[in-house]
Amino acid sequence: EVRNTLTSDLKETEAGWQLYLRGSKTTSRPRTIPLAEPAAVFIRRWMPVEQDVSLLAEAGDITDGAIDVQLSKVIKRINTKATPYSLRHGCRNLAIATKIGPDVQQLLLGWTTGNGGDAQKRYAAAGEANEDQMAVKREAMERMPGRSISVLDARLGR
């Protein structure tokens, strides 16, 4: 998804920053996720200058394995047993711990309920056309970090 996401997919709206994720598992399930201001500022600092190119355009031809290795270096500073794949599951655990329901988890993380079918095709719809959906996602993204931020700061010695 990161390789397919374009610099123009990071947008500041009246409600705040959001990122449209391209190249999801299927084209019928695009996702737009809200971003906290610090995350958007961090991402923009490392983005290519050119408009409408991949967020990784200046990184050259990189493989999924190379992306995994680079993400692992950062992740292991926080938890030596964590992997990029485990981040998604950790995010889900955080959502459960803060009482964010499965429907909002699906909107943010792109999971199905397991029963599949046409009813699930639009569950993680982009949300740009649905202000209420983006507001729910943004509220969840603001609630979820909670105590985790102080734990992260402590582990990083801040």
Side-chain angles (χ1 to χ4, degrees):
E1 290 177 341
V2 174
R3 187 181 296 115
N4 294 324
T5 299
L6 305 178
T7 53
S8 56
D9 293 329
L10 177 63
K11 297 177 183 174
E12 186 173 21
T13 68
E14 286 184 24
W17 286 95
Q18 61 188 44
L19 181 65
Y20 173 79
L21 296 177
R22 293 178 182 267
S24 298
K25 291 179 183 176
T26 70
T27 55
S28 65
R29 294 187 338 217
R31 288 195 319 274
T32 300
I33 58 169
L35 294 175
E37 178 80 18
V41 170
F42 178 80
I43 292 169
R44 288 191 64 177
R45 183 174 43 197
W46 298 105
M47 282 172 53
V49 176
E50 195 176 342
Q51 273 295 100
D52 296 323
V53 298
S54 165
L55 290 179
L56 299 176
E58 293 175 4
D61 185 22
I62 57 173
T63 63
D64 288 342
I67 293 171
D68 192 66
V69 167
Q70 294 304 316
L71 286 173
S72 291
K73 289 178 184 177
V74 176
I75 293 165
K76 298 224 180 275
R77 290 184 63 199
I78 300 161
N79 180 342
T80 58
K81 295 180 180 179
T83 65
Y85 183 75
S86 68
L87 273 184
R88 192 168 179 213
H89 292 273
C91 187
R92 182 166 189 260
N93 290 341
L94 186 58
I96 291 167
T98 52
K99 299 184 179 9
I100 305 293
D103 53 340
V104 178
Q105 292 172 36
Q106 291 172 350
L107 291 171
L108 293 170
L109 300 167
W111 270 302
T112 66
T113 60
N115 59 5
D118 289 341
Q120 287 295 316
K121 280 189 178 174
R122 299 295 298 160
Y123 75 88
E128 289 182 74
N130 187 334
E131 259 180 59
D132 293 338
Q133 186 187 87
M134 283 303 290
V136 168
K137 291 184 203 180
R138 189 168 300 284
E139 192 270 332
M141 292 296 284
E142 289 170 358
R143 252 178 55 203
M144 285 168 49
R147 184 173 167 270
S148 301
I149 292 171
S150 60
V151 171
L152 174 61
D153 283 343
R155 289 203 176 160
L156 295 176
R158 291 189 250 171

